[in-house]
Amino acid sequence: MSGGLRVASALLCLGFALAGCSDMGKLQQATAPTPTPRPKPAIVQATPASDREHERILATYGGAYDDPQLEALIGKIVDRLVAASDRPDQGYKVTILNSGAVNAFALPTGQLYVTRGLIALANDTSELSSVLSHEMAHVLARHAAIREDQARQVAVVARVGSDDPDLTALALAKTKLTMASFSRAQEFEADGIGVGISAKAHFDPYGAARFLNSMERNAELKAGKAGLDPRAQDFLSSHPATPERVQNAAAAAKQYASAEPKEHDRETYLSAIDNIVYGEDPSEGFVRGRRFLHPKLGFTFQAPENFTLDNTAQAVIGVREGGAQAMRFDVVRVPAEQTLGDYLNSGWMENVDKSSTEELTINGFPAASTTASGDPWQFKVYALRVGSDVYRFIFAMRQKTTESERNARETVNSFRRLSLDEIQSARPLRIKVITVQPGDTVESLAAHRMAGLDHPVERFRVLNGLDAHTQVKVRDRVKIVME
């Protein structure tokens, strides 16, 4: 959760994106295996820049997720992919990120990252191999290095006529934002290279098309009716899964179709992901419906009806169906000697109506509120002091109404401490792999075996790669979500 926010950018800060697939390179078609011994992959050599990026990624995505069984499975997949590529000397190091977001990316050094959310969504080793080979393709094709060079060239141009280092940094930052995603051509190139590597490593080459489709369905389900881009931390924010990409991935797979069976290895994969944490880690706060709970910090609050909440590393974001109202909840540092009213009027936010600022007490906590404006949005802001921390609620509305005022007030008034029982009972959701029994249907399994999730039927189908009409069969192994 971050500090200083300006009204002009408050709405922009309601969504956050880390450019997935940070850095990647040029690969050529893998050649047929020869008896010649292949070089061992080099050890990944980190650089000061990659070390800084590594720490930023860990901070943004909840740190590393410790699961030796999953790490061993991914290590075997990567070893096969490396051996099948034209650069078997290129080393890779994989980090599983403790995030429910569906994402994967890499640094130019060969450091690969994959979230447990992506791992939970995949249904077999060929689907996961398609993601890893796609990221390896970016590394081998030097896509990110090329993008970085372009960013620096723009920054040099921006520096001409100015010796202001802050201006240069700003120009580079803006350039990085505009170049956060790989180009369409780079994505297609990485798809083609990745499919080739997977196929030559004897994984099912159609895994890429299946998983791209699953990610798109997952993003649509996550979006719901809130009107907010659900893919801020997800793979699709930097790897758009257009229908054309799915078609091209399928077309690339056809080139490698043969009578020789390709590996899916669904059973091994499902066994490896059984009991993996699904969604948010309660230690970092989590969403259950309209309610946000943070057991470690010991508080909770509830969003208004028709709001969808999303917990990010920086803030909790809420958007009302239709997008006409939104909210942001975060934590800031305020000196103990500064009153909350003075903080709200201190200039971190523009166009504050200082005459509206008032000191309050909310559920026993010292608080203050104020209003601000920034075309076309109106803002209602609350600050609450809880011990040494100050929490902010920032409500944005396109039109100030009695209802929007009530929504803001009721949300803030719902902020309270968690009881000891509530803290102790806060457990993460987990993927459980079960065997379909006689009489089980998609609807019955979703209704009775999926805990704490909205749209359980649709989510069950997406999680198991089932389309709208496919039914489960007796003795199938499927994923459900349980506490």
Side-chain angles (χ1 to χ4, degrees):
M1 296 182 182
S2 60
L5 187 75
R6 301 175 74 85
V7 164
S9 62
L11 247 293
L12 296 178
C13 290
L14 290 177
F16 298 93
L18 174 68
C21 258
S22 278
D23 290 299
M24 342 246 157
K26 186 156 193 169
L27 180 86
Q28 298 155 17
Q29 294 284 334
T31 57
T34 66
T36 305
R38 307 198 72 151
K40 293 183 178 180
I43 297 174
V44 174
Q45 297 294 330
T47 66
S50 68
D51 284 344
R52 288 191 298 271
E53 188 69 4
H54 175 75
E55 292 304 319
R56 185 176 76 90
I57 290 169
L58 291 180
T60 302
Y61 283 84
Y65 183 70
D66 183 22
D67 189 320
Q69 185 178 6
L70 269 180
E71 291 166 4
L73 175 66
I74 291 173
K76 290 179 181 178
I77 293 173
V78 170
D79 286 347
R80 285 174 58 177
L81 294 173
V82 171
S85 78
D86 271 359
R87 285 285 309 280
D89 58 322
Q90 170 67 54
Y92 298 92
K93 178 181 179 182
V94 182
T95 300
I96 303 174
L97 297 172
N98 186 24
S99 170
V102 177
N103 210 345
F105 34 88
L107 301 182
T109 52
Q111 291 162 272
L112 305 183
Y113 301 86
V114 59
T115 62
R116 58 173 169 75
L118 186 147
I119 294 170
L121 183 62
N123 278 286
D124 58 44
T125 53
S126 70
E127 292 186 4
L128 184 57
S129 76
S130 75
V131 174
L132 294 169
S133 61
H134 176 100
E135 300 309 324
M136 291 167 60
H138 278 307
V139 173
L140 295 167
R142 296 192 69 253
H143 287 160
I146 293 169
R147 189 183 63 191
E148 196 74 11
D149 288 343
Q150 292 171 337
R152 293 191 180 281
Q153 289 172 15
V154 173
V156 169
V157 172
R159 192 171 61 238
V160 173
S162 172
D163 294 325
D164 185 346
D166 291 334
L167 179 61
T168 303
L170 179 61
L172 183 58
K174 287 182 176 180
T175 304
K176 283 180 177 293
L177 287 174
T178 59
M179 302 179 68
S181 300
F182 288 116
S183 72
R184 181 173 175 274
Q186 287 173 329
E187 289 297 350
F188 279 122
E189 183 183 12
D191 284 342
I193 293 170
V195 168
I197 295 175
S198 284
K200 290 168 185 176
H202 302 289
F203 292 106
D204 175 22
Y206 288 95
R210 289 199 308 275
F211 196 58
L212 282 169
N213 186 58
S214 289
M215 287 191 292
E216 184 67 22
R217 291 175 62 198
N218 183 68
E220 291 172 355
L221 182 59
K222 187 175 178 181
K225 300 179 181 179
L228 178 70
D229 182 359
R231 300 176 282 195
Q233 285 191 304
D234 283 0
F235 191 88
L236 297 185
S237 65
S238 52
H239 308 66
T242 62
E244 189 179 3
R245 273 192 69 194
V246 176
Q247 292 167 9
N248 280 4
K254 285 184 180 179
Q255 300 176 28
Y256 301 94
S258 67
E260 179 186 356
K262 297 293 186 179
E263 181 178 313
H264 288 248
D265 205 5
R266 177 179 168 85
E267 295 303 311
T268 298
Y269 189 80
L270 291 180
S271 296
I273 68 171
D274 190 23
N275 209 44
I276 189 174
V277 172
Y278 180 82
E280 300 150 304
D281 187 334
S283 67
E284 300 302 322
F286 62 96
V287 174
R288 290 288 187 270
R290 293 187 291 120
R291 193 177 177 202
F292 178 73
L293 306 92
H294 204 306
K296 183 186 289 187
L297 298 179
F299 68 80
T300 183
F301 67 84
Q302 182 165 296
E305 289 185 9
N306 300 317
F307 267 64
T308 298
L309 288 181
D310 187 24
N311 184 28
T312 76
Q314 297 87 353
V316 179
I317 307 302
V319 180
R320 183 177 177 175
E321 180 179 326
Q325 295 181 38
M327 61 167 284
R328 172 189 171 109
F329 172 84
D330 61 12
V331 62
V332 292
R333 294 188 178 185
V334 178
E337 61 275 12
Q338 185 178 27
T339 69
L340 294 178
D342 286 343
Y343 164 70
L344 293 179
N345 294 333
S346 63
W348 61 269
M349 187 168 58
E350 296 174 343
N351 301 326
V352 170
D353 179 5
K354 294 184 178 180
S355 65
S356 71
T357 303
E358 59 178 330
E359 302 280 347
L360 308 165
T361 299
I362 296 176
N363 292 335
F365 301 113
S369 69
T370 194
T371 61
S373 60
D375 187 41
W377 296 89
Q378 304 295 315
F379 298 90
K380 182 73 176 181
V381 185
Y382 291 85
L384 287 76
R385 195 184 297 272
V386 182
S388 59
D389 294 321
V390 171
Y391 295 103
R392 295 189 305 195
F393 285 91
I394 302 172
F395 298 90
M397 56 214 79
R398 290 189 180 276
Q399 186 175 5
K400 186 177 179 180
T401 64
T402 301
E403 181 200 35
S404 64
E405 288 277 296
R406 183 178 66 251
N407 283 343
R409 186 171 60 254
E410 289 181 354
T411 300
V412 173
N413 286 337
S414 73
F415 183 94
R416 63 174 177 82
R417 290 194 181 279
L418 289 168
S419 69
L420 183 59
D421 285 344
E422 288 175 313
I423 292 173
Q424 293 176 340
S425 64
R427 295 187 299 273
L429 298 177
R430 293 183 181 273
I431 292 287
K432 298 297 292 183
V433 178
I434 63 169
T435 301
V436 176
Q437 302 298 317
D440 284 343
T441 65
V442 168
E443 290 72 23
S444 67
L445 289 171
H448 303 299
R449 306 294 297 274
M450 298 278 280
L453 298 176
D454 58 350
H455 309 295
V457 172
E458 295 90 335
R459 204 166 293 279
F460 178 89
R461 289 188 178 280
V462 169
L463 196 57
N464 287 285
L466 303 175
D467 63 28
H469 306 292
T470 303
Q471 275 294 340
V472 293
K473 299 175 183 177
V474 176
R475 291 189 296 278
D476 280 352
R477 295 182 79 204
V478 295
K479 294 178 282 184
I480 60 174
V481 179
M482 298 180 64
E483 282 191 326

